[in-house]
Amino acid sequence: MRMSKLFQRTLLGIIFLFAIIFFTISIFSGWHLYRNLTEEYKSKGTAIASSIASSSVETILNLDSATVQAIIDQYLEIEGVSYVFVVDSSGEIISHTFIPAIPSEIQELLKSHKSGIKDVKIEGMGEFLNIVSPITEGAIGFVHVGMNKNIINEKMWTVIGRQLGLLLFIFLFSLVLAYFMVNRISKPLNELTGYAKKLLNHDFSAKIDIKSEDEIGLLANTMQSMADNINEIFDRYEYALKDAVVELQDTLAYLTTIIDNMADGLIVVDKDGVINHINPAASDMFGLAEHEMIGKNIEILGKKLVDLVNKSLKTEDILATEIAITKNRFGKAVAKSIKKEYFSEDSEAKGILGSVILIRDITQEKQIDKVKTEFITIVSHELRTPLTSILGFVEMIERKFRDTLIPKIDSGEPKISKVLNKINRDFDIIRSEGDRITSLINDILDISKLESGTLRWNFEEISIEEVIFDAYRALSALFEQREIQFKHEIQPYLPKIHADKERLIQVMINLLSNALKFTEKGYIACKAELRNKEILVSVEDTGIGIPESDIDKIFEKFKQVGDIMRDKPKGTGLGLPISKHIIEAHGGKIWVSSQVGKGSIFNFTVPLKNREVLRNENTDSR
Ligand SMILES: Nc1ncnc2c1ncn2[C@@H]1O[C@H](COP(=O)(O)OP(=O)(O)O)[C@@H](O)[C@H]1O
Ligand SMILES: [Mg+2]
């Protein structure tokens, strides 16, 4: 089993502690023992020496060395006694216990021999305490007893050894004790750590089994109930999430089904023009399988769609164009950029994300429209010729009537003069109605050409000022009749524009004549200025104005608002739609702001650089 950190540390602490205890106890008890043993040996030696000294007085006096020898020999039996010898007062050794001979160190000792204790080291024998006791105060001689110091050392080391053994035993015992104690603490701690790690790995169903009632048990319990809570919350969220996902999948499936069953073709491109979604209708329209379209650039579907997408990615306007689709059919493609605002706030999507293109098969509508246009064109043409001749004949008859007949008729007769007046008024009505039909036919021909794109344009560098004044001049007689003031405010040095002059005059005439038609008194003001690389022209009147609800309608074909009965002979309802076509063909815009009873301001713009727009005149802003 791996040693726990806690145990490792405790072990180190114990070893360190025991090392200090070993060391101090060894030194202290060793030193103490040594001193005590030395003291003991000293007193023992002294007692032996003095006992020999007192018992051997007579023997020495009798010079009975054999008896002395016997006495000292028996003392050798005593533990710690190494040698004994007796010298006489002259320093002669009378008898000794050295075998075989007296060592030289002893001889040396005798030279200055006095009573007392001395340390002696004898070569080959060891260290000794030499204790001297005088016999009758040294008058007869001295007794020397040698106590073995080696025994002291031996004893001392044995005791120290035993002590160390005991300590070692205690050490091992406490080690085992410490191991168990530490384990008792560290086991639950380790378990708790393992448990915490499991929680960290989101294994909230893991259990921990610590029963103790201490802080660790409390902590374990708290963690367990915390994990239970989290587990419960997770479960709840998991269910909620599953529900949400299912709901989302259903919604998605529903939406996908709708898109897939749409009659119109749907193509979604990203901001680089790469197709990332199509529906079956779209793939049918181009005769390409889904995998042949998804992931490819929109350019595989033709230049017109590329232009449409490129323009749509730069604006939020809805753009439309007509395109050719498979099997010689035509489609109307409508593009709208996808903006970020529909995505959640944390989404990484920024700005315009791409474009949605809807394609409707308009082959049938186009054919009907073509037939209609052809029919109208033919009818108009057919009508125009006889109408011209009718009007010509009317004019001729009128002239003849006026120049030849009237002078011959006696106008004195009141009845005749009344009839003449009536005929003259009828001629006026025929002429003005004839003019009205002519302009209606002309307008119809214009609009059908504009709509079918067959109108011939004559673009050149022109000045807007000339356009305005040419139009005014064409209408100046009407201005004089009506006594309405014509004001103009044209910014000097306006740059020339690339435009069809006659068509712009047509627009101006229409706007000015509308203003005249719907203004009782006051003024009509015409302004032209340069703004944002465009020429902005406005025609302001102080007329009846247009109700808010009709503002959008007046640019539609044949739409006339207000009191049509009163203004009956005045228009066709085609002037503004024609004007709109013409302005948009120049890449400009036309709009109106009006207040009922106060007047209207019609505005249109013509960009300075519009060549690009003209070439793509089919791609128009709806
Ligand atoms: N300046 C104006 N003031 C008030 N109403 C206007 C003005 N210009 C146009 N309208 C309204 O818009 C309608 C459409 O005008 P237009 O297309 O030129 O047809 P028309 O002039 O043949 O009636 C007019 O019938 C009229 O109701
Ligand atoms: Mg008009």
Side-chain angles (χ1 to χ4, degrees), residues 272-333:
D272 303 317
V274 175
I275 301 169
N276 53 33
H277 196 98
I278 61 158
N279 69 352
S283 103
D284 284 350
M285 279 177 177
F286 292 97
L288 292 170
E290 192 179 312
H291 71 267
E292 291 174 295
M293 296 172 78
I294 301 275
K296 307 275 163 60
N297 196 286
I298 189 80
E299 61 195 18
I300 61 161
L301 304 181
K303 168 107 174 48
K304 276 196 161 182
L305 276 180
V306 175
D307 287 348
L308 182 75
V309 166
N310 285 345
K311 274 187 199 158
S312 145
L313 290 175
K314 283 183 207 120
T315 171
E316 284 168 35
D317 292 345
I318 298 167
L319 304 177
T321 189
E322 268 178 30
I323 56 165
I325 54 178
T326 183
K327 293 177 195 144
N328 289 328
R329 299 180 75 82
F330 290 96
K332 180 168 188 174

Side-chain angles (χ1 to χ4, degrees), residues 54 146 171 193 212 288 378-379 396 401 433 480 559 570:
S54 57
F171 169 72
T193 315
S212 65
L288 292 170
I378 291 165
V379 170
M396 205 176 69
F401 175 72
E433 287 299 285
E480 277 154 27
K559 284 282 152 62
K570 287 178 178 167

Side-chain angles (χ1 to χ4, degrees), residues 510-511 513-514 517-518 570-576:
N510 183 45
L511 294 184
S513 66
N514 279 353
K517 261 193 285 184
F518 300 104
K570 287 178 178 167
T572 58
L574 284 173
L576 287 178

Side-chain angles (χ1 to χ4, degrees), residues 239-278:
Y239 279 123
L241 201 69
K242 264 186 200 150
D243 283 354
V245 168
V246 168
E247 207 170 301
L248 212 65
Q249 276 169 342
D250 284 354
T251 316
L252 204 66
Y254 181 62
L255 285 177
T256 314
T257 316
I258 291 177
I259 289 172
D260 284 355
N261 287 292
M262 257 165 49
D264 289 355
L266 177 101
I267 299 175
V268 182
V269 296
D270 66 13
K271 60 181 191 310
D272 303 317
V274 175
I275 301 169
N276 53 33
H277 196 98
I278 61 158

Side-chain angles (χ1 to χ4, degrees), residues 443 510-519 539-541 543-547 550 553-556 558-564 567 570-579 592 594 599-602:
D443 280 356
N510 183 45
L511 294 184
L512 286 173
S513 66
N514 279 353
L516 271 170
K517 261 193 285 184
F518 300 104
T519 306
V539 177
E540 183 186 345
D541 64 49
I544 59 169
I546 304 159
D550 293 327
K553 291 187 196 149
I554 58 170
F555 289 99
E556 288 170 25
F558 303 112
K559 284 282 152 62
Q560 291 173 300
V561 297
D563 191 351
I564 293 170
D567 305 322
K570 287 178 178 167
T572 58
L574 284 173
L576 287 178
I578 290 174
S579 304
V592 63
S594 184
S600 321
I601 306 172
F602 280 82

